[in-house]
Structure formats: C-alpha cells, structure tokens
C-alpha cells in the first residue's frame, strides 16, 4: 500500500494591483519618449520641414509622428530609426541627443531634489583652498 504525502505548499494570495504595476519615473525625471520626441521635433523645425514631409519620407503616418514628437506614443526602434533617417540622422545620433538632453535636464533638477536651488552657483558646491 502506497501512502500519499500531503502537499504542504501553500497558495499565496495575488499581490495587490499596485504592487504589480510598473513603477513610474523618479520624481523630476523625464520620460524617454518625451526626450526623444523633443529631439525629433527640434531637428525637424531646425530643418524647416513639415510634419507631413518627414512622415512621408519616413513612411509613417503624420498623426503617429505627431504623437511621437509630443511624447504620447512609445515608438518602436524601427519607427524611431525611420524618423531619424528622414531627418538625416542615424538612430545612434537620435539616441545620443536624447541622452544628452536627459543628462542636461536631470542635472538641472538634481540640486533642487537635494534641497539646493538649481540657480545656486556651482550647483550648490563650495570649494575651499
């Protein structure tokens, strides 16, 4: 006769919904899609090109490119590469510019997050000889 060993594993209750959702950006930190959209829009305007012109060359819809530029859509790498190429940029150029903007924006906000006004000289640092 075979004895059955009871299964002592417990079933955990589902986690609350808030614990399952992805965390948002840190306070004062911009979203990547906003940065990339800003770079695309600035470059397009610097070239004095219309949204339609760039969208047609990139082979994406004009409303979608507009949404990407405004940071309302999280575009795929293929869409970003197409938009960048339509503007004469490589994907690496676009991402490098967005990274530079991220560094610039977070550097301006970081002193304020530490309680130091962003307008303080030298970012609130004091050097002594």
């Amino acid at each position: 006769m075979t004895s059955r060993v009871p299964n002592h594993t417990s079933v955990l209750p589902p986690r609350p919904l808030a614990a399952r959702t992805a965390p948002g950006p840190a306070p004062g930190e911009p979203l990547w899609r906003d940065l990339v959209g800003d770079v695309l829009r600035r470059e397009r305007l610097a070239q004095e090109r219309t949204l339609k012109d760039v969208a047609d060359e990139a082979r994406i819809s004009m409303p979608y490119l507009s949404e990407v530029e405004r940071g309302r859509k999280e575009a795929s790498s293929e869409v970003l590469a197409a938009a960048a190429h339509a503007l004469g940029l490589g994907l690496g150029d676009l991402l490098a510019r967005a990274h530079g903007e991220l560094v610039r924006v977070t550097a301006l906000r970081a002193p304020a997050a530490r309680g130091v006004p962003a307008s303080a000289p030298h970012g609130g640092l004091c050097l002594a000889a």
Side-chain angles (χ1 to χ4, degrees):
M1 182 167 25
T2 311
S3 67
R4 296 193 64 169
V5 178
N7 185 352
H8 292 290
T9 59
S10 62
V11 176
L12 297 175
R15 291 181 292 167
L17 183 59
R20 288 186 278 168
T21 59
E29 214 169 68
L31 294 174
W32 185 249
R33 67 177 181 245
D34 291 326
L35 296 167
V36 171
D38 287 345
V39 170
L40 287 172
R41 175 169 278 167
R42 270 198 313 271
E43 185 61 31
R44 180 178 60 78
L45 294 174
Q47 293 180 18
E48 299 180 352
R49 293 177 65 188
T50 66
L51 195 61
K52 181 175 181 358
D53 174 47
V54 174
D56 286 349
E57 190 171 331
R59 296 179 165 222
I60 56 180
S61 76
M62 189 174 68
Y64 188 74
L65 180 58
S66 175
E67 295 281 298
V68 170
E69 282 189 356
R70 290 183 288 148
R72 297 195 180 194
K73 294 290 184 191
E74 192 82 47
S76 68
S77 58
E78 290 88 358
V79 168
L80 293 177
H85 288 124
L87 292 166
L89 301 172
L91 182 58
D93 299 323
L94 173 63
L95 299 182
R97 289 180 186 193
H99 175 260
E101 184 66 11
L102 176 63
V103 170
R104 187 188 69 75
V105 169
T106 54
L108 291 175
R109 294 179 181 177
R114 293 190 307 263
V116 178
S119 60
H122 310 294
L125 296 176
C126 180
L127 302 176

